[in-house]
């Protein structure tokens, strides 16, 4: 099978989705392909910070200026994805006064609103700050939902004629007569179509131009085309807490270092991060000491973190790019700026452009610049409108509107639903059918789930990204099977497809818990395992195996060594944190 498009975008993260939206709204025929779900790579593994630019105001002022400009844009066009929490750069007694002044001056030089607060004023803003902090700088940081934002960009691109194909990894870049003419992809959708039209098989997609927006994977696409894209992947860990210990982004006011930020996000806080260069964006160690470091260091800013409950940890890989010849050894010294690589100009290979580097906050600006470049190459005369036109869900949106009485929902649930759906709340929540809460932790209702399934097919992880269902304290223990039930109730998917989708969701939820198995979270993980492996019999035990348990058998029954081991705490395989030694971590 083959197909043709004007522009083929490879990569379904923030930049790729932004490029697809930008080009589609200019009238360009666009196809986007992504190897996993949207946000599969770096975008889905960030800490959710909407940068004010303050983090770069000393070390990288060009990036800082871009951040504050795009911060303001995203507040307007993506209001249902953004929470303006504000941010504090907090100085501890051991941090230098000189760097504090440099940070303040740098912010002001870059046009970032910055206000000095005394220790007492800072604790009025954030009462759980450490009692020995000296002072703080307040900046307009915020929190952003990367999943919601990417889906909104992809949805708008599709509404303007774009084709979006997920679970379609590129297996080859097609080069003919010294020019890139398209790519070969393998669709992994198969039975129970995950998102869009093609079910399984290989497809050659020809294009007038290919955009390589794969972030940390850009070097792989370059290799397929026979050119070098010098991406230097750098991994960082994020640790998710079970409650929202702070309501403001907390940064430590010191030069580069690990474990220096706490980001309130939805019902949780996310602690970050480390910065360690790796060779492969998919194969790197996930080490328990990194998780312990987050809690140990950030407890110096917010002491209650030391006794709080963690629910999971995850690692992301930054797509850092350093122009050849720079020779930087420390990844923290590499610029966070982005680069557009025209492979015709640089390598004598027309037909492909790569976009590398950058940050989530500047995704729209990156997309605008590469779209301008591609339109120039194709002779398309159309202006960018993405800085002014709201994303789907953010048109005429206000979180203050009271939907609760109108939809018969309890107040917290109504507010959460409206925050997620934005201006689509009427469309999704107005239903004559019962609309119970399916995921209690994140207050996700049946109507939201059914709406998400309509756009995600049988992929429950894609449903999770759209709704946050299964992302709360129980990590799917009490709602994953209910999500599967909603999938089956549609009547579009048979039992094996639904079972496979449920198992895949459980595996994704378990993956992040392996490094949080101490205190109450260990108990939660074991409860989830028992529910899934015994009550639901998802490890496939036969009736005679249960008889063996009843008889007091000590050994695990035969035939239960696959799914059971993979979904229970025994599968941690060395990933359990040092905190399993009995530390009192169960605070909530």
């Amino acid at each position: 099978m083959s197909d043709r498009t004007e522009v083929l975008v490879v990569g379904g993260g923030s930049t790729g989705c932004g490029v697809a939206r930008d080009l589609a709204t200019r009238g360009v025929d666009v196809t986007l392909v992504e190897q996993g779900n949207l946000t599969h790579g770096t975008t889905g593994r960030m800490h959710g910070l909407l940068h004010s630019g303050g983090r770069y105001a000393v070390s990288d002022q060009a990036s800082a200026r871009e951040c504050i400009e795009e911060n303001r844009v995203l507040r307007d066009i993506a209001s249902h994805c953004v929470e303006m929490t504000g941010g504090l750069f907090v100085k501890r007694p051991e941090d230098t006064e000189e760097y504090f002044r440099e940070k303040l001056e740098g912010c002001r030089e870059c046009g970032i609103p910055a206000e000095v607060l005394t220790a007492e004023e800072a604790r009025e803003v954030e009462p759980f700050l450490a009692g020995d902090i000296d002072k703080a700088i307040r900046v307009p940081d915020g929190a952003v939902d990367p999943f919601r934002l990417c889906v909104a960009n992809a949805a708008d691109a599709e509404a303007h004629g774009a084709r979006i194909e997920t679970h379609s990894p590129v297996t080859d870049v097609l080069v003919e007569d010294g020019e890139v003419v398209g790519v070969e992809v393998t669709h992994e959708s198969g039975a129970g179509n995950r998102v869009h039209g093609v079910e399984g098989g290989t497809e050659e997609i020809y294009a007038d131009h290919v955009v390589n927006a794969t972030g940390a994977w850009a070097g792989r696409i370059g290799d397929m085309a026979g050119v070098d894209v010098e991406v230097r992947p750098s991994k960082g860990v994020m640790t998710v807490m079970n409650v929202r210990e702070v309501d403001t982004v907390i940064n430590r006011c010191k030069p580069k270092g690990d474990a220096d930020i706490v980001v309130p996000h939805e019902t949780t806080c996310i602690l970050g991060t480390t910065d360690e260069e790796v060779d492969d964006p998919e194969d790197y160690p996930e080490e328990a000491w990194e998780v312990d470091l987050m809690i140990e260091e950030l407890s110096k800013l917010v002491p209650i973190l030391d006794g709080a409950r963690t629910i999971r940890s995850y690692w992301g890989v930054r797509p850092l790019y350093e122009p050849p010849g720079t020779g930087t050894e420390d990844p923290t010294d590499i610029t966070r700026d982005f680069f557009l690589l025209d492979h015709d100009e640089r390598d004598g290979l027309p037909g492909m452009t790569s976009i590398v580097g950058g940050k989530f906050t500047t995704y729209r600006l990156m997309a605008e610049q590469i779209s301008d470049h591609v339109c120039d190459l194709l002779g398309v005369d159309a202006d960018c409108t993405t800085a002014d036109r709201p994303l789907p869900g953010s048109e005429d949106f206000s979180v203050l509107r009271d939907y609760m009485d109108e939809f018969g929902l309890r107040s917290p649930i109504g507010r959460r639903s409206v925050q997620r759906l934005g201006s689509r709340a009427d469309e999704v929540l107005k239903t004559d059918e019962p609309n119970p809460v399916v995921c209690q932790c994140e207050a996700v209702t049946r109507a939201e789930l059914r709406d998400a399934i309509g756009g995600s097919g049988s992929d429950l992880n894609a449903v999770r990204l759209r709704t946050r269902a299964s992302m709360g304290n129980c990590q799917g223990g009490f709602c994953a099977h209910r999500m599967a039930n909603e999938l089956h109730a549609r009547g579009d998917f048979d039992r094996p497809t639904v079972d496979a989708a449920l198992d895949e969701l459980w595996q994704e939820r378990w993956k992040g818990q392996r490094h949080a198995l101490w205190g109450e979270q260990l108990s939660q993980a074991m409860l989830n395992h028992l529910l899934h492996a015994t009550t639901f019999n998802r490890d496939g035990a036969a009736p005679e195996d249960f008889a063996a348990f009843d008889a007091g058998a000590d050994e695990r029954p035969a035939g239960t060594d696959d799914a059971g081991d993979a979904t229970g705490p025994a599968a941690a395989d060395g990933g359990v944190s040092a905190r399993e030694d009995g530390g009192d971590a169960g605070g909530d």
Side-chain angles (χ1 to χ4, degrees), residues 160-204:
H160 286 83
R163 174 188 174 194
I164 310 293
E165 289 287 348
T166 60
H167 301 278
S168 300
V170 171
T171 50
D172 194 15
V173 174
L174 305 177
V175 180
E176 296 179 1
D177 299 324
E179 180 178 1
V180 174
V181 296
V183 302
E184 177 188 84
V185 300
T186 300
H187 298 289
E188 297 182 348
S189 50
N193 170 31
R194 291 174 181 265
V195 179
H196 295 95
V198 178
E199 292 189 3
T202 298
E203 180 183 9
E204 291 181 346

Side-chain angles (χ1 to χ4, degrees), residues 195-274:
V195 179
H196 295 95
V198 178
E199 292 189 3
T202 298
E203 180 183 9
E204 291 181 346
I205 305 176
Y206 289 88
D208 297 331
H209 200 80
V210 173
V211 174
N212 176 12
T214 55
W217 288 259
R220 293 187 180 182
I221 301 299
D223 290 342
M224 292 180 188
V227 296
D228 290 329
V229 180
E230 301 85 358
V231 176
R232 292 175 58 176
S234 171
K235 74 165 182 173
V237 66
M238 271 66 67
T239 296
V240 185
M241 312 308 291
N242 74 316
V243 296
R244 185 165 158 142
E245 284 85 1
V246 295
D247 289 320
T248 310
V249 175
I250 305 298
N251 305 264
R252 184 159 179 181
C253 193
K254 68 174 185 178
K256 62 187 181 183
D258 293 335
D260 64 352
I261 186 169
V262 183
V263 182
H265 188 74
E266 300 279 346
T267 59
T268 68
C269 278
I270 300 177
L271 317 184
T273 179
T274 48

Side-chain angles (χ1 to χ4, degrees), residues 496-509:
T497 298
V498 175
D499 283 349
L502 178 57
D503 286 342
E504 185 179 46
L505 176 63
W506 272 335
Q507 291 300 317
E508 178 62 30
R509 293 294 78 201

Side-chain angles (χ1 to χ4, degrees), residues 92-143:
R92 286 192 48 77
E94 60 267 33
D95 302 331
T96 69
E97 182 67 30
E98 179 183 6
Y99 186 78
F100 187 90
R101 288 196 304 270
E102 288 179 355
K103 178 71 74 176
L104 180 63
E105 292 168 4
C107 286
R108 291 172 175 170
E109 288 170 4
C110 295
I112 302 166
E115 176 189 4
V116 176
L117 302 181
T118 65
E120 292 74 20
E121 291 170 332
R123 275 190 289 274
E124 287 180 8
V125 174
E126 205 49 72
F128 288 120
L129 284 176
D132 60 348
I133 65 165
D134 291 339
K135 53 187 172 179
I137 301 171
R138 180 156 56 186
V139 296
D141 283 336

Side-chain angles (χ1 to χ4, degrees), residues 80 148 266 393 397 399 401 403-404 407 409-426 428-429 435-439 442-449 451 466-467:
H80 78 297
R148 205 177 300 160
E266 300 279 346
F397 168 69
V399 297
R401 181 176 173 186
Y403 283 88
M404 278 67 76
F407 298 129
L409 299 172
R410 290 179 295 146
S411 294
I413 298 167
R415 288 197 178 92
R416 293 299 307 283
S417 297
V418 172
Q419 286 168 349
R420 283 189 293 263
L421 294 167
S423 60
R424 296 184 63 242
D426 282 333
V428 175
L429 297 179
N435 188 23
V437 177
V438 177
C439 170
E442 293 295 323
V444 182
T445 67
R446 175 183 288 168
E448 287 183 77
L449 282 173
D451 175 68
R466 289 169 181 256
T467 63

Side-chain angles (χ1 to χ4, degrees), residues 5 102 139 236 287 335 424 490 565 570:
T5 185
E102 288 179 355
V139 296
E287 299 175 277
T335 179
R424 296 184 63 242
R490 286 177 57 94
D565 272 345

